[in-house]
Amino acid sequence: MKKLLLAVLCCIGALMLIADDASATHLMGGNMTYEYLGLNSGTGLYDYRVTLKIYRLCDPGSSQLPVSTSIGAYQDNPGNPNLKQRVASATLNLISQQSIVPPNAGASCSFAPNVCVEEGVYQTTVSVPANTTGYYFIADRCCRNNNIANLSNPGATGQAYYAFAPAPTIANNSPTFAVPPVPFICANDTVSILNQAIDVDGDSLSYAFVTPFAGISSSGSPSPTAPTTYTWPIPTVTYATNFSSTQPFGLNSYATMDATTGLGVYVSPNQGYYVVAVEISEYRNGVLIGLSRLDIQIIVITCPTNPAPVLASTQTSYTIQEGQTLCFNVGYTDPNGDSLFLTHTGDVFNSTLVSPTATLSNASGDSTVSSQFCWTTSCNQGRTTPYQFSTSATDNGCPAKVTNTVYTINVINTQKPTSMTGPDTLCLNAATGVAYSVSSTSGYTYHWLVTNGTQVSGTNTASATVNFTSPGLATVSIVALNPFGCPSDTLTKTVYIKPQPTAVAGSDVSFCSGGSATLGTSSTTGYSYSWSPATNLSSATSSNPTVTINNTGTTPTSTTYILTT
């Protein structure tokens, strides 16, 4: 076992007993992302900042990273779904490059997994007009390195880097992968690899294995200019026998992807170079709005036996309410007593994406390592998609082993009441002591607001009694507050207070015995009428009944009729 803390990193050549005819090949993978810049008022076009990352195998004899590459922005062709029409093109220029250094063993370990991988970052701005179907950003390069085991003729196979954006009137940024791809894994070992991505828009992400794109480049045309039309679907690679997107290491291998977290788990019985592609589907309110990919090459090497660190707690998913504080320990142990180093990544630690942020300190320890995650959420951090972050525990064994864990935190919005019981139409004479209520949630309090009226009971509860003061429109509104004081959206009921109707009985009438007269006036739609007494009336419920009276005496008689409307 190793008690030295992880400190030594190196990158020198390739430790592989595999023939490598890579004289004109080098591509190990990459991915394309875009940033939405919005409408350019000067041009009337929508701008996107497109970033391409290309990974190359930097063995002796491999081609260098290109200084630039062409990109096209394509849209659907209504006349031919098998072709995409180019709307704009640009040049992606190399703006930076760096080595991707795999973790190695400590200085006292004689085993050193040496892999040389270089990352090139390319960037440009692409301007496109508005449309309703979205845009396909595509760039092509050739060729992959010759020693890839799971592809047929890999040295003549290119790569297509691709991302899809929705219609430009929809502001959307593609997700970005949180960590660089891991260059190597150990044969006959269960290995976890983080494919987790961060989405600045808070969209829901779904991860899946897919067949890598070969695109339209070739060894004879390694850097094609974006064509005016692009064959669709994008041409994919041809797998060698017994290999596929879900079985990238061949027979008796294992590869699985957590669709929610992007955590991949691999077991390969054989050493070699293998291509894997991960596609991210981006959903907003249940609707697919974006696609992006990571094309990676995993190098499987033979390693000495070294068990990976073990997560101390199996709980990795939490649900809290907005405004609530969540704290828990993140801990790992090492089965054979190696020293451990704990790191973390995720959008909850990025103040440009989340405010306030969570806290979790990197840590190191002898055989065990632990750190406390804490997050006091604010009232605007509830959302329908979960927050995620990942931790990695790296030991100091031979070679260094890493265990990756993705944590999911659901922050629940304060739930707005779904409906309010109580009348929405009242007559003014019945507009006092009117009851309104909503379904209550345990731990919640409620705030009522009334216009053209007064709340007379039910403070901070899910039921209230209201007196309305005058005819016309009134509103009864309620806001729910969760146990941590965070308000919901407002639920409002509009109430119409009808004025009391005027009762028109008409002028006094007189006539001789046996005669008749008409009382009242014409009816109004929606009104009802009641005369009292009903004696001698043609109808006691008509607005203008006929009254007929016989007087058998010698003196006049008088009857008073009262109308209620």
Side-chain angles (χ1 to χ4, degrees), residues 185-191 267-271 299-303:
I185 64 174
C186 294
N188 295 305
D189 197 4
T190 301
V191 180
V267 178
S268 174
N270 304 308
Q271 61 177 330
I299 305 173
V300 183
I301 63 175
T302 300
C303 307

Side-chain angles (χ1 to χ4, degrees), residues 266-524:
Y266 305 97
V267 178
S268 174
N270 304 308
Q271 61 177 330
Y273 290 68
Y274 302 89
V275 170
V276 174
V278 179
E279 184 170 81
I280 300 179
S281 300
E282 187 181 358
Y283 293 88
R284 186 173 300 172
N285 299 321
V287 178
L288 179 66
I289 63 168
L291 293 170
S292 55
R293 283 186 167 216
L294 174 64
D295 189 320
I296 58 177
Q297 191 174 136
I298 297 175
I299 305 173
V300 183
I301 63 175
T302 300
C303 307
T305 300
N306 176 36
V310 178
L311 184 67
S313 172
T314 58
Q315 183 174 359
T316 58
S317 180
Y318 296 85
T319 298
I320 61 174
Q321 300 184 58
E322 57 182 352
Q324 187 175 354
T325 296
L326 172 66
C327 292
F328 59 86
N329 284 330
V330 175
Y332 293 84
T333 61
D334 193 81
N336 61 334
D338 291 335
S339 296
L340 294 176
F341 187 76
L342 175 66
T343 59
H344 65 279
T345 186
D347 55 359
V348 294
F349 308 111
N350 188 333
S351 60
T352 63
L353 303 178
V354 173
S355 181
T357 58
T359 59
L360 176 65
S361 298
N362 291 340
S364 59
D366 183 3
S367 303
T368 64
V369 66
S370 179
S371 187
Q372 187 181 55
F373 172 90
C374 269
W375 189 18
T376 299
T377 59
S378 67
C379 288
N380 62 353
Q381 289 182 310
R383 68 184 195 187
T384 57
T385 56
Y387 295 88
Q388 291 180 346
F389 75 93
S390 59
T391 61
S392 298
T394 305
D395 71 12
N396 206 39
C398 299
K401 287 295 183 68
V402 181
T403 297
N404 299 297
T405 307
V406 178
Y407 290 87
T408 299
I409 303 174
N410 296 283
V411 182
I412 306 301
N413 281 302
T414 303
Q415 299 301 299
K416 170 186 172 181
T418 56
S419 61
M420 184 187 303
T421 61
D424 56 14
T425 304
L426 293 164
C427 288
L428 183 61
N429 64 312
T432 58
V434 184
Y436 292 91
S437 65
V438 296
S439 296
S440 62
T441 300
S442 178
Y444 276 35
T445 57
Y446 298 88
H447 176 69
W448 294 87
L449 177 65
V450 180
T451 64
N452 194 21
T454 304
Q455 179 186 354
V456 293
S457 69
T459 303
N460 296 330
T461 68
S463 300
T465 303
V466 177
N467 291 343
F468 297 101
T469 54
S470 60
L473 291 177
T475 60
V476 180
S477 301
I478 189 170
V479 174
L481 300 171
N482 75 7
F484 307 97
C486 293
S488 70
D489 292 335
T490 302
L491 175 66
T492 298
K493 179 186 281 288
T494 300
V495 183
Y496 177 47
I497 311 300
K498 292 184 176 182
Q500 285 185 249
T502 301
V504 181
S507 303
D508 292 343
V509 295
S510 61
F511 48 85
C512 294
S513 176
S516 63
T518 299
L519 306 182
T521 186
S522 59
S523 63
T524 299

Side-chain angles (χ1 to χ4, degrees), residues 118-143:
E118 190 176 31
E119 176 190 71
V121 180
Y122 301 78
Q123 201 168 81
T124 192
T125 298
V126 179
S127 301
V128 294
N131 73 5
T132 59
T133 56
Y135 283 100
Y136 308 84
F137 298 116
I138 309 173
D140 285 271
R141 293 296 303 191
C142 194
C143 295

Side-chain angles (χ1 to χ4, degrees), residues 142-154:
C142 194
C143 295
R144 299 174 187 263
N145 45 296
N146 255 333
N147 52 9
I148 299 173
N150 62 343
L151 298 187
S152 175
N153 194 18

